[in-house]
Amino acid sequence: MRVVVAEDLFLLRDGLVRMLEAYDFEVVAAVESGPELSKALAELEPDVAVVDVRLPPSFSDEGLQCALAARRARPLPVLVLSQHVEQLYARELLADGSGGIGYLLKDRVFDADQFIDAVRRVAAGGTAMDPQVISQLLDRRAQDRPLGRLTPRELEVMELMAEGRSNTAIAAQLFVTERAVAKHTSNIFGKLGLPPSDDNNRRVLAVLAYLDRG
């Protein structure tokens, strides 16, 4: 699997490259600025990009904007890394509802299994949202409609769903059966006004119900 890495801090960038290569990813470019990232994504067309939100020269949200521009050109899976929870960035990243996205705090990178799992999930078209990001967003919108209609257990299921976990993984985490999880997810989709569909991105749309409204 071909990966482009964008991170301005040399030690972290080098660490990401070494970790990815240790798990049999092919790092086709490791860049440190927005212009370099845009060029690498356009010319190399990687399978997935791991991108720091803040890159030179602006050190604002240049990394995120370069990734979003590349996604508009083709369906590029992107895992964004950030030092802190930025709710606006999470909403912007998820805005097209097409999947293949992730948002992790940089602290998670030091857990190799968690980081590599997130890269693989994103590359496969799924989502990988940092638990802390989801927790803060749920806290902020807990009283908002339609989210306010969810039960406490449904909120727990939705939080894990937003992290990109499967029904099997959610069942294991909450010590319930997969049938119970399926029932909860069905209730969540119904309360959020998402009709039955074979499209797996309905899980992404459920996250958008509270990330991209109000």
Side-chain angles (χ1 to χ4, degrees):
M1 191 177 299
R2 302 168 70 251
V3 187
V4 164
V5 174
E7 166 59 53
D8 65 298
L9 297 177
F10 170 76
L11 289 178
L12 181 53
R13 184 172 68 251
D14 185 61
L16 290 171
V17 171
R18 290 174 182 270
M19 191 185 308
L20 288 164
E21 290 179 341
Y23 283 83
D24 297 324
F25 290 89
E26 179 187 359
V27 179
V28 294
V31 302
E32 60 180 334
S33 71
E36 289 176 308
L37 174 59
S38 294
K39 181 179 179 182
L41 295 179
E43 294 181 356
L44 300 175
E45 297 191 347
D47 299 308
V48 61
V50 178
V51 178
D52 185 4
V53 167
R54 301 178 185 273
L55 290 175
S58 68
F59 287 104
S60 56
D61 62 347
E62 190 149 347
L64 175 64
Q65 295 306 323
C66 289
L68 292 175
R71 280 174 65 85
R72 287 191 287 270
R74 70 181 185 91
L76 170 69
V78 174
L79 175 62
V80 167
L81 304 179
S82 179
Q83 192 69 43
H84 307 288
V85 176
E86 299 280 0
Q87 296 179 11
L88 177 61
Y89 296 161
R91 289 198 302 272
E92 194 166 1
L93 184 63
L94 286 163
D96 63 6
S98 61
I101 52 87
Y103 187 116
L104 286 184
L105 295 182
K106 288 187 177 180
D107 287 349
R108 309 291 179 188
V109 172
F110 299 106
D111 183 331
D113 290 338
Q114 186 174 27
F115 171 67
I116 294 299
D117 178 63
V119 175
R120 287 174 174 157
R121 266 192 276 159
V122 169
T127 60
M129 299 298 289
D130 192 283
Q132 189 172 336
V133 174
I134 297 303
S135 178
Q136 288 198 23
L137 291 165
L138 282 171
D139 288 344
R140 188 169 74 92
R141 296 202 178 260
Q143 302 305 316
D144 291 351
R145 292 186 177 182
L147 191 63
R149 295 199 293 270
L150 301 185
T151 67
R153 176 59 91 182
E154 289 166 355
L155 286 172
E156 287 182 306
V157 171
M158 188 168 183
E159 180 175 346
L160 294 169
M161 187 192 308
E163 290 175 24
R165 300 183 186 275
S166 66
N167 282 6
T168 301
I170 293 172
Q173 181 76 20
L174 298 180
F175 302 102
V176 298
T177 65
E178 286 189 53
R179 176 177 291 184
V181 174
K183 181 178 179 180
H184 288 312
T185 56
S186 178
N187 290 341
I188 289 169
F189 293 149
K191 291 179 180 180
L192 297 181
L194 299 173
S197 169
D198 293 331
D199 187 353
N200 288 333
N201 289 336
R202 188 161 63 145
R203 297 171 84 93
V204 178
L205 295 175
V207 180
L208 283 173
Y210 66 91
L211 291 184
D212 201 39
R213 283 179 169 81

